[in-house]
Amino acid sequence: MLSNEKSTDALDLSHHLSKVGKARHTSPLKGLQKYMGKPGLISLAGGLPNAAYFPFSSVSGEILAPDSFPLKTDSEESSLSWFWKLFSRSDKERTSTFTVGKYSKRPGDLDLENGLQYGLATGQPKLNEIIREFVGKVFQPAYKNWTTLVHTGNTDAWFKTVQTILNPGEGVIVSEWTYPSAMASAQPFGIIPVPVGMDSEGMSSISLRETLSEWDESARGMPRPHVMYTVPVGQNPTGTTMGIQRKKEIYDICVEYDIIIVEDDPYYFLQQGKYVPKSDRVAEPDTDDEVFIASLAPSYLKLDYQGRVIRLDTFSKTVCPGSRLGWFTCNPMFAERLERAAETSSQAPSGFTQIYVASLLLKWHYEGYIRWLKALRLQYKQRRDYFLDCFADEFHLKATLSTEGYTAGAHIYHASLKPKRSFVLLSEKDVAYSKPLFSFVPPSSGMFLWLELHLDDHPSFSSLGYKALEMKLWTEIADAGVLFAPGAMFFATPVEDDTPGYGHFRISFSNSTPEEMKTAVSTFSTVLRNFMKN
């Protein structure tokens, strides 16, 4: 169902609430807040500090112009982002300022009197108003009574969601490779990950249907899962992007089997598209806002005509992680229960954070924020391209079409060592470069490159196995001054010594200089060459 066809409210999905989720009541003191806006009210009920004693008369800041970064590059510069040249420029960054005073001059303005006071768990009204406009225009939920409320970042949002809709001993559907912190958050509550096979678009709808249709409660020792956790864009760790058709297939299955979808989507605006080798790259044209939004893989919200999606968004990748600020989009029933969960725990995100982010978005307006997001996507695209170019310079890469496993349907690059220049005959060990030692699918979104290791020809492979070799190689790379994330931690269930498969590394390209990227890949090549000899 498309957003312009929406005609109904969300279904009653309260049967998905956990025992804890059902048992929560409105915090007694927070329940008084509904009276706070009554004109002429004299409130002697709450323990609110007097705003006159706040030691801040105002807060202010400088904001970058929303067009600080370009929307296109020359083809000659396509392998090196304009971002990396920014800080060597002599001219000052273009900024504007904002100031928020202690008391508002007009009703509805931001002020410190309210912004730094104990606040609603739903977030400051002005910020929530901005967020709601953004969600309606960009994500376009397919039912009428969707709502939003703020949270303190997606990690905490998932934590509250787990408590609200999952009971101990229940399973949660996840991709076979998934975000380990999400699993670590659920594990103490006795929540059991149920891995589903993947392909080049992330979770496979075929594998999902097989898992659900063949579910044997007696053999599994638990009921069929009723919750799915997914990172559909910039899938962490593989970097895949799930398109609209796959999402529709999965959503329809979730309707059939009555499953709640928790859409954790921090990388949504870092959709970079297909990697093109440097020799074939051309300048990327600018597009208008509507074309840009239409070019992005839609959220599950756009398909969600029943209100069974709980979407987690965050400002961590588009503004800054230290803001600890994001928001839920979901149906009112889930929103009310999540609000109750926040009232007696995190309450609301920092008032300072909400004031600063709201001031930023009020200054930029919707159009300015979209302009920022368009340029941000291009910056990360160029970082990805440059990083993969470094691999192409250092290794011999051969692209083939993958037909199996989590890469099925993708163009996969097989990497082997390039021969060293030599005036003497190469030994048999030296020609090991002719065999691929790792492979990867270029990420289409996000911040990470996911390497699959092929260490079968290592002298100790038969005695140690791939898991031990992964950690041995990881240690040698770290000792050489480069830190990767070991792949085993991203498997949905613990990797044992006898678990079949290959070693993996997750490597970030988001926060290093081009010189550091090049050095890291060169170091990896040197370590890998020596590693394969002993």
Side-chain angles (χ1 to χ4, degrees), residues 162-445:
V162 166
Q163 292 182 305
T164 301
I165 61 175
L166 284 162
N167 290 304
E170 292 183 342
V172 59
I173 298 166
V174 297
S175 298
E176 59 182 308
W177 296 102
T178 193
Y179 180 46
S181 292
M183 299 302 96
S185 180
Q187 186 272 334
F189 295 97
I191 308 303
I192 303 164
V194 177
V196 170
M198 300 171 64
D199 61 18
S200 61
E201 282 196 69
M203 184 181 290
S204 163
S205 55
I206 296 173
S207 295
L208 174 62
R209 180 171 289 283
E210 288 177 352
T211 298
L212 296 172
S213 64
E214 298 173 4
W215 192 267
D216 186 329
E217 186 170 332
S218 298
R220 293 272 194 166
M222 60 179 171
R224 191 171 62 205
H226 67 102
V227 176
M228 173 192 295
Y229 171 82
T230 180
V231 183
V233 173
Q235 199 276 340
N236 195 348
T238 63
T240 59
T241 303
M242 185 179 290
I244 184 66
Q245 182 57 38
R246 175 63 55 80
K247 283 177 177 165
K248 186 178 187 309
E249 293 166 4
I250 289 178
Y251 184 85
D252 288 346
I253 293 171
C254 289
V255 169
E256 181 180 346
Y257 287 92
D258 192 20
I259 292 168
I260 300 301
I261 300 171
V262 183
E263 184 179 25
D264 184 2
D265 218 351
Y267 307 107
Y268 186 80
F269 294 101
L270 304 186
Q271 299 186 37
Q272 299 137 9
K274 181 181 178 182
Y275 169 71
V276 177
K278 185 164 48 176
S279 59
D280 300 327
R281 210 167 293 154
V282 296
E284 183 169 324
D286 182 19
T287 58
D288 64 35
D289 294 352
E290 290 187 4
V291 172
F292 166 67
I293 292 170
S295 73
L296 301 174
S299 165
Y300 273 108
L301 288 176
K302 193 165 186 177
L303 301 168
D304 184 23
Y305 61 93
Q306 293 189 335
R308 64 177 58 252
V309 174
I310 301 175
R311 181 178 170 87
L312 316 182
D313 277 289
T314 176
F315 288 107
S316 65
K317 308 303 188 292
T318 61
V319 176
C320 61
S323 66
R324 306 314 309 141
L325 182 64
W327 71 92
F328 296 99
T329 306
C330 57
N331 76 50
M333 184 275 297
F334 285 137
E336 187 272 337
R337 292 289 87 193
L338 291 165
E339 183 182 354
R340 301 288 83 79
E343 282 178 347
T344 53
S345 56
S346 60
Q347 297 193 23
S350 162
F352 286 107
T353 286
Q354 294 191 66
I355 286 171
Y356 272 89
V357 173
S359 296
L360 171 78
L361 298 177
L362 285 170
K363 199 80 171 180
W364 278 356
H365 302 292
Y366 171 81
E367 293 76 16
Y369 189 41
I370 292 295
R371 171 63 175 76
W372 175 265
L373 295 174
K374 289 163 69 175
L376 195 67
R377 181 199 67 84
L378 180 60
Q379 296 302 306
Y380 281 100
K381 173 184 173 65
Q382 291 182 120
R383 282 183 169 274
R384 178 206 63 181
D385 289 352
Y386 181 80
F387 193 47
L388 297 186
D389 291 345
C390 290
F391 277 88
D393 292 341
E394 192 68 37
F395 295 92
H396 175 68
L397 301 181
K398 181 180 180 180
T400 62
L401 183 65
S402 177
T403 58
E404 59 184 20
Y406 67 88
T407 62
H411 283 90
I412 186 169
Y413 285 75
H414 301 273
S416 54
L417 294 169
K418 290 182 176 180
K420 290 183 175 180
R421 291 190 178 92
S422 176
F423 293 103
V424 297
L425 293 175
L426 298 175
S427 68
E428 185 175 343
K429 285 185 176 180
D430 289 326
V431 298
Y433 62 80
S434 62
K435 293 185 178 181
L437 298 181
F438 64 90
S439 60
F440 63 87
V441 174
S444 55
S445 302

